[in-house]
């Protein structure tokens, strides 16, 4: 029997800005916690609206929100700064003093290159996934705008190739160093066994590989697209699902959010054409419709109202 769309260990909520993905992510995390699953809600969206959705203050470390529910808002720039500091610490342990200043300068240059924030965010992302099964039973990601998120989820392949190259080069450096010491008569001890840089590269390589296996496992992971019945959100979702398919990342469901419930027949007809387009284009995926609510679904009472509006079939087999 297929895994129910919202019953996977890892859920990614994505969609164009303003479609309600942050609120729905908070809602699904609350539902998971209410079912006594230790759940972490992670926001990688720089807008940091998860705090508003939950009605509490969050930061860069996990905060307990209620029983079985923790939440964290990751700041990509802060994460990059922390990541660079860790790289400097590791490199300093393996760098001759005469080269330390130049190495640190090169690392500082790397911090401001394009993609530095994404690389650091991906590193944190893989560390959080490693906590699945120990600290948490489910992780719900409220992602940044779709383009950024799709780049992030495609990084395992790119980063593994890059790390493979770094590991190979580091091993060659160690081999040359060992040969030189033998020629110089200074012992034959293994550098690799005590090389903190090689050790860190191999640890990251293994972590990235684990992340790749997890996010492509349809029984454990799924991407939930949130759309509203308008042209741009639907068109962007069509393009995005094609990208995920090319990267073997499973799509769990498509949620049509904020369906109009009034008597304006022209608006009802206009929305229906986009709902029909979603149902036709994504017929191989579960589709849920959620009505536009009369209240702002923020804070625990509001999230519960939204939760009650979600079809139970999305949670249960």
């Amino acid at each position: 029997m297929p895994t129910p769309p919202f019953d996977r260990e890892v859920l990614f909520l994505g969609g164009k800005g303003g479609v309600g993905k942050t609120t729905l992510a908070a809602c699904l995390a609350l539902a998971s916690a209410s079912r006594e699953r230790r759940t972490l809600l992670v926001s990688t969206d720089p807008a940091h609206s998860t705090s508003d959705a939950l009605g509490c203050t969050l930061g860069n470390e996990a905060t307990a929100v209620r029983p079985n529910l923790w939440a964290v808002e990751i700041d990509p720039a802060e994460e990059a700064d922390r990541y660079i500091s860790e790289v400097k610490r590791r490199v300093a342990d393996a760098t001759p003093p005469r080269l330390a200043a130049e190495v640190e300068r090169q690392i500082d240059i790397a911090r401001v290159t394009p993609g530095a924030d994404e690389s650091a965010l991906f590193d944190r992302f893989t560390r959080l996934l490693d906590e699945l099964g120990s600290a948490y039973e489910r992780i719900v990601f409220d992602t940044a705008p779709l383009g950024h998120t799709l780049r992030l989820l495609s990084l395992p392949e790119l980063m593994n190739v890059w790390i493979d190259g770094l590991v190979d080069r580091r091993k060659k450096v160690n081999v040359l160093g060992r040969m030189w010491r033998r020629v110089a008569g200074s012992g034959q001890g293994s550098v690799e066994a005590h090389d903190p840089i090689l050790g860190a590269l191999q640890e990251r390589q293994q972590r990235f590989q684990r992340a790749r296996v997890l996010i492509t496992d349809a029984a454990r992971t799924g991407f939930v697209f949130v759309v509203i019945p308008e042209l741009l959100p639907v068109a962007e979702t069509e393009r995005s699902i094609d990208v995920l398919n090319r990267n073997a990342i499973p799509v769990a469901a498509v949620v049509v959010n904020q369906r109009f419930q009034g008597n304006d027949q022209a608006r009802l007809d206009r929305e229906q054409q986009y709902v029909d387009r979603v149902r036709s284009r994504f017929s191989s995926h579960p589709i849920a419709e959620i009505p536009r609510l009369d209240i702002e679904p923020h804070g625990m009472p509001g999230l519960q109202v939204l939760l009650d509006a979600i079809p139970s079939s999305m949670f249960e087999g």
Side-chain angles (χ1 to χ4, degrees), residues 205-219:
Q205 184 180 47
Q206 293 165 4
R207 182 156 35 89
F208 293 171
Q209 290 170 346
R210 289 193 298 271
R212 176 62 182 169
V213 169
L214 178 57
I215 67 176
T216 56
D217 185 344

Side-chain angles (χ1 to χ4, degrees), residues 11 30 37 44 68 86 181 234 240 242 262 294 311:
L11 287 174
L30 175 62
R37 303 283 294 273
T44 62
N68 295 311
E86 175 65 14
R181 287 196 309 278
V234 172
S240 300
D242 288 340
D294 293 332

